[in-house]
Amino acid sequence: MPHRPVALVTGANRGIGREVCRQLVPRGFRVVLTSRNVVKGRGASAKLGVDYAPLDVDSDDSIGRLAQTLRERHPDGLDVLVCNAGIALEGFDAAIARATIDTNYFGVACTIDAVLPQLRPGARIVIVSSGSGDRGRLSPALRAAFSAPDLDRPRLDGLMHRFVADVEAGHHEAAGWPTSAYAVSKIGATALAGVIARELAADPRRPLINAVCPGWVRTDMGGPHAERPVDQGAAGVVWAATLPANGPTGRFFRDGAPAEW
């Protein structure tokens, strides 16, 4: 019996994540929809006719349980991971900075780390990022640090920790950071795709990992005045999740085209 590919989508009880699940089903995927809110997640999965697993990307225990669930339900492995879970909080202070970086950057990184051993040959990883994560908002020194061709995980993690520490110390602007935790978290998330792509360059499974900007989408997070319908925003994510084997990796895209960040 031919293998039916398995796709895991985080933060998928609503918005872009849910729409990504919906678009993957007719493409032949067995979809695992995950969410922090179990009631809403189960409701969304039932309506879409997909599998459900709880996941709170801020919890190492929850991420570990998800990895175990995948091993039990899908022992043949995972073909697609879409890291969509994220937050955009109002205001700006040290608590918001820490929460945003923990979810939008470290939550993504930890989820990828946890399921990486279960990726099948030719797997795709998609990090849902944002054009708001523009390196032009950083000081020249920070921009150079994020853009370094040899940037690795310890240094990238350190940059994200440094942002939170600078906000806590009250001198983030003097240190060259923008006053937006969301923007910094997405700068980090986009950089993470490039870093992990380099880490996996010698992996015989040849996985592809890319970051995608879905645009400003009419969701609960994007608001009713956003310029794009949710299906259009999700389409770029699905494109990256279904790239051919010779597709790009370690890049940033919008609507299937290279994007600046």
Side-chain angles (χ1 to χ4, degrees):
M1 184 176 179
H3 173 74
R4 187 179 172 199
V6 178
L8 173 72
V9 185
T10 72
N13 64 287
R14 61 180 184 174
I16 293 171
R18 175 173 172 162
E19 178 62 18
V20 168
C21 293
R22 191 192 68 79
Q23 292 187 22
L24 286 173
V25 169
R27 288 169 170 81
F29 284 88
R30 290 182 291 172
V31 176
V32 181
L33 181 157
T34 75
S35 68
R36 181 165 50 188
N37 187 309
V38 175
V39 173
K40 292 182 178 179
R42 290 192 184 281
S45 64
K47 289 181 180 179
L48 293 175
V50 302
D51 196 6
Y52 175 74
L55 173 64
D56 179 354
V57 300
D58 291 332
S59 166
D60 290 343
D61 287 344
S62 179
I63 293 172
R65 286 193 295 270
L66 173 70
Q68 179 61 32
T69 296
L70 289 174
R71 287 190 290 270
E72 294 170 354
R73 295 183 188 173
H74 303 286
D76 291 338
L78 186 67
D79 298 273
V80 169
L81 169 62
V82 177
C83 294
N84 172 74
I87 58 174
L89 303 174
E90 293 186 7
F92 183 81
D93 58 24
I96 287 173
R98 174 174 283 103
T100 304
I101 298 301
D102 282 349
T103 299
N104 295 0
Y105 173 77
F106 286 107
V108 170
C110 291
T111 301
I112 293 172
D113 289 343
V115 305
L116 194 60
Q118 295 163 253
L119 294 184
R120 286 171 49 82
R124 308 289 181 264
I125 303 172
V126 185
I127 297 174
V128 179
S129 191
S130 171
S132 298
D134 180 0
R135 288 176 293 185
R137 302 177 71 171
L138 301 169
S139 69
L142 285 173
R143 188 159 60 247
F146 276 98
S147 305
D150 61 346
L151 180 65
D152 58 17
R153 277 287 292 280
R155 286 158 58 196
L156 180 55
D157 288 355
L159 285 166
M160 305 309 286
H161 284 305
R162 190 200 307 177
F163 167 69
V164 175
D166 286 341
V167 175
E168 289 178 332
H171 58 229
H172 71 280
E173 289 183 305
W177 301 101
T179 303
S180 170
Y182 182 79
V184 174
S185 74
K186 294 303 185 178
I187 291 171
T190 300
L192 183 65
V195 168
I196 295 180
R198 289 191 290 276
E199 290 179 348
L200 298 178
D203 192 310
R205 295 172 296 176
R206 300 182 65 82
L208 303 180
I209 174 168
N210 293 287
V212 171
C213 171
W216 186 23
V217 179
R218 290 192 291 275
T219 61
D220 289 350
M221 183 182 292
H225 303 299
E227 61 187 14
R228 299 184 136 199
V230 68
D231 59 335
Q232 184 180 4
V237 178
V238 172
W239 170 84
T242 54
L243 283 169
N246 63 347
T249 189
R251 305 277 296 280
F252 182 48
F253 293 95
R254 175 170 169 157
D255 297 334
E260 295 294 327
W261 66 283

